[in-house]
Amino acid sequence: MMFSNVDLDRIVAGEVDLAFRVWRRPMHVDGGRQRTRAGVIGFTSVEPIDAREITEQDAARAGRTRLELERFLARKEGTVYRIGLEFLGADERVTLREHDALAPEELGSIAEHLVAMDRRSTRGPWTRSFLELIEARPAELAETIGASIGWERAPFKANVRRLKELGLTESLPTGYRLSPRGVVVLTHLRRPAN
C-alpha cells in the first residue's frame, strides 16, 4: 500500500489512523504489517465499506476532507476498503543491520543460515558471492550487477532482499551496500576454516 511522505509522518505522529483504498481484492489483512521508510505500519482492521457511509470524521482520521477522499476513491473501480492503521515502530532490519558486535555463536548461526539458503538454491551457492559483489559495487544498479553474473534483475533483487532480512545489506537510492553487520559477516565467511 502506497503512502505519501506526509501521510507516513502523520501516521507516525498518531494524527492519521485510517486509510481508504479501492481494491479489486483485499491487498492487506487485519493484523498485517508493512515496512515503510518511516518504520513499520500495522493494519488493525481491513473491511469493505460503502463509500456513502464514510463520515467527515472518518475522512479527517485519514488526513483528508470528505470531498478530497471522494475524489481520491473515484479514480479507481473496485471495492472501497476502510483500513485501520497504527505505527508499530522502527523497521527491525535497521536495528539489526547496525548490530555488528557479533559473538562467535551468532556468526556461526548466520553462516549456517547462509549455507542453508545456498543449499536450497536451484542455481547453486550464491550468498557469499552476492555479499562480495555488493561490497565491491555499492550504489550500482541491481540490473547491472545481476547481468554481470548472468542473473536477471528480479531474481537478483529477490535474493538481495533475503540478505537484507538478515540485516546484511541495505538499500540505497540506487543499488545497495553492505551494512556494518554484513561487513562483519563477510569477514567471518572469508576466514579459513580451522
Side-chain angles (χ1 to χ4, degrees):
M1 192 158 123
M2 298 295 290
F3 295 103
S4 71
N5 287 334
V6 171
D7 283 344
L8 282 174
D9 291 342
R10 294 179 74 189
I11 293 166
V12 170
E15 298 167 7
V16 167
D17 67 351
L18 279 182
F20 293 87
R21 295 293 188 271
V22 177
W23 295 325
R24 294 196 184 281
R25 60 180 176 77
M27 302 302 288
H28 293 284
V29 296
D30 186 359
R33 305 162 24 114
Q34 179 176 325
R35 291 183 178 121
T36 71
R37 67 122 189 111
V40 181
I41 305 297
F43 302 109
T44 59
S45 62
V46 178
E47 55 195 15
I49 185 172
D50 185 325
R52 295 171 295 198
E53 295 175 14
I54 299 172
T55 66
E56 195 64 55
Q57 181 182 6
D58 289 335
R61 288 176 59 194
R64 291 180 161 72
T65 66
R66 176 90 171 83
L67 182 59
E68 289 170 334
L69 193 54
E70 281 177 10
R71 289 180 180 149
F72 173 76
L73 296 174
R75 298 181 316 168
K76 290 174 72 177
E77 291 199 14
T79 303
V80 175
Y81 285 86
R82 181 183 196 265
I83 303 117
L85 307 170
E86 67 178 340
F87 178 62
L88 298 177
D91 184 338
E92 59 276 4
R93 295 175 303 177
V94 174
T95 304
L96 187 61
R97 70 184 184 215
E98 297 302 322
H99 176 59
D100 60 352
L102 299 169
E105 311 81 51
E106 290 176 287
L107 284 168
S109 176
I110 294 167
E112 286 176 21
H113 190 85
L114 294 174
V115 166
M117 289 167 68
D118 285 339
R119 230 183 271 126
R120 289 189 301 271
S121 172
T122 59
R123 295 181 77 160
W126 61 272
T127 57
R128 179 174 166 176
S129 65
F130 273 41
L131 290 170
E132 289 175 335
L133 280 166
I134 292 166
E135 176 190 48
R137 299 164 77 172
E140 190 170 331
L141 286 171
E143 186 173 358
T144 306
I145 299 174
S148 74
I149 57 170
W151 283 69
E152 293 178 8
R153 179 179 179 269
F156 178 82
K157 286 185 74 146
N159 277 350
V160 174
R161 278 194 298 274
R162 294 172 70 196
L163 296 173
K164 188 176 183 180
E165 290 295 320
L166 298 174
L168 304 181
T169 65
E170 54 188 290
S171 297
L172 300 172
T174 299
Y176 314 96
R177 70 175 167 212
L178 290 185
S179 67
R181 180 184 183 90
V183 170
V184 171
V185 168
L186 183 55
T187 300
H188 172 76
L189 295 174
R190 287 176 169 152
R191 288 192 185 117
N194 295 330

